[in-house]
Amino acid sequence: MPAVLRKAAFFAILLLFWQGACSLQFCPDYLLPAPWQVVASLAQGWREGTLLYGLLISLKRMGIGFGLAVLLGGALGLLVGRSGPLAQAGRSLLMGLQSFPSICWFPFAIILLGLQEGAIIFVAVMGAVFSAAIATRDGIGNLPRNLTGAALTLGARGWRLYTAVKLPAALPGIITGLKQSWSFTWRSLMGGELLFGNLGLGHLLMQARDLGDMPRVLGVMLTILLVGMIIEQGLFARLERAVQRRWGLESN
Amino acid sequence: MERVLSAEASSAAYPAPLRTGEAPGQAAEGRRPWRSVVGRQGKAEAPEKLALRGIVKSFPHRRGRLVALEEINLSVREGEFICLVGPSGCGKSTLLRLIAGLEKPDAGEISINGQAVDGPGAERAMVFQENALFPWLTVLGNVEFGLAMQGMGKRVRRARAMEYLAMVHLAPFAHHYVHELSGGMRQLAAIARALAVNPAVLLMDEPFASLDAQIREMLNAELLRLWAETGKTVLFVTHSVQEAVRLADRVVVMTYRPGRIRAIIELDLPRPREEGDPGVVRTRLAIGRHLREEVTRALQEERNHAGRT
Ligand SMILES: Nc1ncnc2c1ncn2[C@@H]1O[C@H](COP(=O)(O)OP(=O)(O)OP(=O)(O)O)[C@@H](O)[C@H]1O
Ligand SMILES: [Mg+2]
């Protein structure tokens, strides 16, 4: 059976279980709505335009937040990738900050930037910037010694050594790291939107909760899940494979 | 002028038995087919290209330091082909990296054309055993790389790179990516890339070590042709005595820990050198003897070391 069919079958079985649980009526349908109720609620959200609007707002924030995280993280990674005691101290601070829950930056961001768009994006950036920095620094730190040696003996110097050799050489590893950074950004953004609902999918989710509208809650949750899966598997995994193929790193 | 099997450098610390047989002019004439070298046309008179004087290099090791190289002195003439052999870990790669400027010596001086070396540069291009081509570039892109770093314009450097690719017969593969090439072709591409920047000295660290014997033999012949065409000064590290004897004007045998020059063997044998030629066979045996003794010593040392810890 082809992989696509296998996956479809798996999801169909999940749906069946869900429907089955509803039909047996363990609990009332305002607590556990049937799949079709969730779909209907999604369809309604789509018709009203709220769903699409929320989605676009969240994606825009993601784009900005992730873009900033990659730029800042990349620069930070290059900085702490240098040798010397300062860079070493920087690395241990990075490790610490990576495990620091990004949503805890929210109060800080609100005081700093006010209770608005900037604060939400700030939290999204903080979710990913450190893992992007670590991915960059690991990618560049683990290059084969001969590769940089060859570049140096061919006359590569200074920033050109980075742009022309180290970054491209480390790209496969960096992309794998960025895939993870992306999911960190997504989580942080949703956290931010939930806490301070100002449009976006997280806000829709909170609205649905305020209305006690379980089908809508599940519908938005499903949307968030799908967006995550599509971007991670559809975009990043594809990009990762393409780069690995070009770099000759494929296992086959 | 009969310096033949001589350790040009610091040989004072060898175990005595290894020394006696090698003191210049002591051994039987017949065992020295490579002896009349000094008369080798042109080479002896050629100006000095590369000079190593009193090179010392150590690395941090456990709680002390590991002396990888001690008192290396060597003078290489322009256009000379030098092969470096020695037991694994004796510091051959370290010596090449020092000359390339990728490492700094603790003491001593390295000079090219009389100018002290400081840091890496394209006048000392290096070819490595593997993993040194840029996989995100095509073969052509790789050969162009050094020229681009010199700031050469796109059209000029493309033409120049194609010339060098043609020289190693890789022109048809110019637009292939590195991983699409066989191991032998990759090494040829790496050689073309190094030659393209027109280095004063070509450093080669076991460039053919991961290839099978037939390919290696072919590439040895190819390298000799390139060497004759370009007149480059070459320092070539190998584990294979056979390869060294096929290629070198002089073979430098190194000792194990600390790495010193144990002997320098001059080969005055016409090329191409046939495996069965009596002169070739004798030279191979002589170098093999030196090497075997060093390898045995290295193994013993390692064993003693393992016993102690
Ligand atoms: N960067 C380094 N840090 C610490 N020790 C090193 C470093 N580079 C080399 N050494 C040590 O120096 C010694 C010489 O190493 P080197 O790689 O030059 O040997 P080699 O003769 O090239 O060996 P091989 O034939 O296996 O390639 C070895 O004992 C090695 O462990
Ligand atoms: Mg080596």
Side-chain angles (χ1 to χ4, degrees), chain A residues 145, chain B residues 59-60 66 68 86-94 103 206 239 257:
Chain A
R145 188 166 79 150
Chain B
F59 294 106
L66 174 95
S88 188
C90 74
K92 304 179 295 291
S93 298
T94 303
E103 311 255 7
E206 305 194 40
H239 270 123
R257 284 196 193 172

Side-chain angles (χ1 to χ4, degrees), chain A residues 120-144:
Chain A
I120 291 186
I121 290 178
F122 185 89
V123 170
V125 170
M126 282 304 157
V129 69
F130 303 113
S131 78
I134 288 171
T136 308
R137 116 98 208 163
D138 284 352
I140 285 186
N142 297 330
L143 294 179

